[in-house]
Amino acid sequence: MRRMRNVWNVKNQSRPDLLYVIICAAVFLAEVFLAWRQSVRYGGGYMSDVSLYVKIARRNPTPTRAVNWLFAHLMDLCGNTLGIAVLLGLAVSLTIVANYLLLRYLFCSRFAENGGRLSGAGAPGFRETGTPFPEAGDTATGCYADASADRRLLEAASVAALFSGPVYIPQLMPYFYEKTLSKYAWQSPTQIMMMPLAILALLLFFRIRERYFRRIAPGQWLLLSLAFLASAWAKPSFIMIFYPLMAAILLRDLIFGRRECGSVGRRFRSVLILGCSALPGMVYFLYLNKAMFGGASEAAGAAASAAASGGDGSVIIQFGRAYFNQDFSVPLSLLAGLLFPLLVLLFNLPALRDIRYASGWLLLLIGIAEHFTFSETGRRAAHGNFAWGKKAGAYLLFLLSIWKFAENCRDPQFLQRRPELRRLYFVLGFVLLGLHVACQLYYFQLLLRGHHYMM
């Protein structure tokens, strides 16, 4: 009887709150409304990439890019662009759900056996809890938090992660979206479709890496490969920043993984198998690169000629083009975009030993480095396409920072000996996160009213 009651409690704890469902539904309807008006340029406004991809899908519906293929089929099916709007609404709602799943996994999958303190993978003595939310006072897992409160906390966090753009200060910053560290692009159907797949890929990678020296579940490996491929098909920005990080993590595991697996041959085999999950996405990326640029980048002289003729151009190395000689403060834009993650980092520097939390900062740095290094020539020279990796990295950094902040909230030993500093941290954290969310909500309502997204 007790076992049945525990199972019932776990199921109840896993059910979303009605308010959370209503919020997700409201976000879905708002995005459907916005995407439909963007697709038809309602009233001459609602400038976005959606209408551009609608025109491309009508003119040349090829399977090379997900948006072209899906938009063309949805217009054939519906006879208008309503199906496209519903697709984008679902993608945004699924992003919230993916946020929640990643946060729940990170928050609840591991607990250290040290008096109730929460900690990440890689800490000594961690073990699987076996339930989505351990029950309150469960000393076997070291969790003293209330399960229902934890679920509500993570539900709120999953919504906040979507609506947490840069803090906008009109007196200091001349731009709201353009030239700031924005992380979510409501005008870009490719990024909207990519984000839930990128979050799913990150979740699967973390789960597989937990015990991949012992065993890699074929189903999870296949899902990870498909998530990489699907995210690249939607937009290759995520794999462009994650693949270098993945290679570094696997190389680190191979060299320093003796404690987890003493056999070099076994480590090499596990690293090779997990690394091969990236191959489908890489093959597609190389195919897309060849389709767009004809293979390798051209020489500088040929690139200049292509730019002058307005042709497709190529990718070139041009350090600092996106950052030097700008009419705004780059340090200020980075600071305004990262106030909350910087605060969390300041109070959680030792947590960088956990590769899952460190991944957020590394992904952002890789994205910034790519934006700093590479540029396009030709008709796409002014499009800033190498900024998309930076945006994806900023989004994932916020998500992982929110996880760490939520973990701090439920950790009774976090700054236990300095209660004043603990209170200050949480007050500042909620205030800064609230500022990020409030600014993004204000920006979102401007878009719903038809304002240009470049403001």
Side-chain angles (χ1 to χ4, degrees), residues 137-159:
D138 186 354
T139 56
T141 60
C143 179
Y144 297 121
D146 178 70
S148 297
D150 288 343
R151 188 191 64 241
R152 295 189 185 98
L153 174 66
L154 298 183
E155 288 172 348
S158 68
V159 177

Side-chain angles (χ1 to χ4, degrees), residues 22 28 67 71 84 90 110 121 133 142 158 204 209 237 243 258 264 277 312 334 364 372 374 399 414 422:
I22 292 173
F28 166 76
V67 285
F71 280 19
I84 293 172
L90 286 173
R110 300 284 182 190
F133 290 99
S158 68
L204 289 168
R209 186 177 172 269
S237 306
Y243 278 7
R258 181 179 301 176
V264 176
S277 65
D312 285 346
L334 293 174
L364 176 63
F372 185 86
F374 298 105
L399 188 57
F414 179 74
R422 176 186 171 94

Side-chain angles (χ1 to χ4, degrees), residues 334-453:
L334 293 174
L335 178 64
L338 297 174
L339 282 174
F340 175 75
L342 285 170
L343 175 72
V344 175
L345 176 65
L346 181 63
F347 283 83
N348 289 275
L349 286 173
L352 289 174
R353 291 194 296 266
D354 183 349
I355 195 61
R356 300 174 306 172
Y357 173 60
S359 292
W361 285 101
L362 293 172
L363 288 171
L364 176 63
L365 292 175
I366 293 171
I368 291 175
E370 288 180 355
H371 192 209
F372 185 86
T373 303
F374 298 105
S375 297
E376 287 180 290
T377 63
R379 60 186 176 86
R380 288 187 291 264
H383 291 183
N385 285 324
F386 281 100
W388 290 110
K390 180 183 68 174
K391 293 180 187 295
Y395 187 99
L396 295 171
L397 171 60
F398 257 92
L399 188 57
L400 294 172
S401 297
I402 288 174
W403 153 56
K404 185 56 62 177
F405 185 73
E407 189 178 86
N408 296 153
C409 289
R410 285 292 184 261
D411 184 355
Q413 294 189 10
F414 179 74
L415 293 178
Q416 183 183 34
R417 297 182 179 180
R418 305 187 66 179
E420 298 84 2
L421 189 60
R422 176 186 171 94
R423 284 193 294 269
L424 176 64
Y425 169 62
F426 289 131
V427 169
L428 285 177
F430 282 114
V431 168
L432 292 181
L433 183 59
L435 281 174
H436 284 290
V437 172
C439 289
Q440 182 72 352
L441 286 173
Y442 177 74
Y443 174 70
F444 185 57
Q445 66 86 24
L446 290 177
L447 296 179
L448 290 174
R449 289 161 51 191
H451 286 258
H452 198 297
Y453 69 92

